Amino acid sequence: MSLLDRLFPRQRITIEDQLATLAECGIRLSPEFGVDNLLEFFPREKFELSKYAGLVITMGGEWKDGRPLSDNVWHLDTECIESPGDYAFIAKRMKNLAQGELAIENIRDRVDIENGDAWVEFDLNGETIHWGARVDRDWIDPAILSHFCALLEAQGGMRRFTYMDLKGQDCVLGCATEEELRRLRKETGLRFTWLA
């Protein structure tokens, strides 16, 4: 332990308390998961000293069988477009994040990196929506995320997509009301902003 750690010990917040605070801000584990599942990723101490960041990033991931640990946050690696189904997967995650405010159906895509062809398409309110995607090796086209932001706003609901920059090629996406975002920033210190 360093002298600095002895003089100014870092305050620990239990995983249970962090989960309770996050739940008040609209971020919850899916019902089938709990603290024991989280502890399979990292030891308790790591979560409790990272004060929300480590917990939110982990909650945004997937269980061993591919199920999301939470439908309220998504830890997105932006270098994720490699094959057919990748943009469809993104569309499904954005739909789930919107918590019923983005009722897209019949999601399909095309990803052909070699030929520079990618798109995502789905139905919403009886209309087919088709977005072409710029191909840049295996990087996601950020315009696709912006399109989802505009589409959600056009639905007239109270939620908007949120974003926490992790200062690398990954980020955490969520979806919140203005009050949930305000409270999340205040209670956790996490630097979530509106995704645009």
Side-chain angles (χ1 to χ4, degrees), residues 56 73 162-164 172 174 181 184-185 190-194:
V56 166
V73 286
T162 59
Y163 166 83
M164 183 172 72
V172 176
L181 179 60
L184 178 63
R185 292 174 59 112
L190 297 175
R191 296 178 181 262
F192 272 93
T193 62
W194 296 119

Side-chain angles (χ1 to χ4, degrees), residues 8-190:
F8 304 102
R10 292 191 287 172
Q11 178 188 7
R12 289 176 73 147
I13 304 173
T14 67
I15 295 174
E16 292 80 4
D17 287 346
Q18 289 181 60
L19 286 170
T21 298
L22 289 169
E24 292 170 2
C25 303
I27 299 174
R28 295 170 184 81
L29 282 170
S30 294
E32 64 267 32
F33 298 114
V35 172
D36 289 343
N37 301 105
L38 295 170
L39 294 176
E40 290 198 34
F41 291 92
F42 299 104
R44 178 176 282 275
E45 181 176 306
K46 186 164 183 145
F47 283 119
E48 294 181 352
L49 290 175
S50 70
K51 295 183 186 174
Y52 299 101
L55 188 56
V56 166
I57 291 167
T58 303
M59 289 172 69
E62 297 176 342
W63 188 240
K64 300 165 189 174
D65 61 5
R67 287 177 295 158
L69 292 169
S70 172
D71 283 329
N72 306 127
V73 286
W74 178 26
H75 181 202
L76 170 65
D77 180 346
T78 57
E79 197 175 7
C80 64
I81 304 300
E82 297 173 351
S83 57
D86 290 343
Y87 274 115
F89 178 78
I90 290 167
K92 288 173 189 166
R93 286 305 303 252
M94 299 301 276
K95 173 185 177 176
N96 290 344
L97 287 175
Q99 301 172 51
E101 292 191 17
L102 192 59
I104 62 176
E105 302 174 317
N106 196 21
I107 301 167
R108 53 223 178 257
D109 73 357
R110 176 173 173 79
V111 176
D112 184 348
I113 302 294
E114 270 187 39
N115 293 310
D117 185 23
W119 50 261
V120 63
E121 187 174 86
F122 48 83
D123 300 330
L124 177 64
N125 301 325
E127 177 187 349
T128 297
I129 296 173
H130 177 97
W131 296 328
R134 182 174 46 89
V135 175
D136 180 11
R137 298 182 312 241
D138 54 357
W139 293 94
I140 187 172
D141 180 353
I144 295 294
L145 298 178
S146 295
H147 291 327
F148 275 110
C149 291
L151 189 63
L152 179 60
E153 187 171 352
Q155 302 314 298
M158 297 183 61
R159 299 184 177 283
R160 300 290 176 267
F161 290 113
T162 59
Y163 166 83
M164 183 172 72
D165 187 359
L166 298 178
K167 307 297 184 201
Q169 71 183 41
D170 57 339
C171 61
V172 176
L173 300 182
C175 195
T177 64
E178 283 190 38
E179 174 58 25
E180 286 171 339
L181 179 60
R182 184 198 64 73
R183 188 168 190 172
L184 178 63
R185 292 174 59 112
K186 179 181 180 211
E187 299 294 328
T188 68
L190 297 175

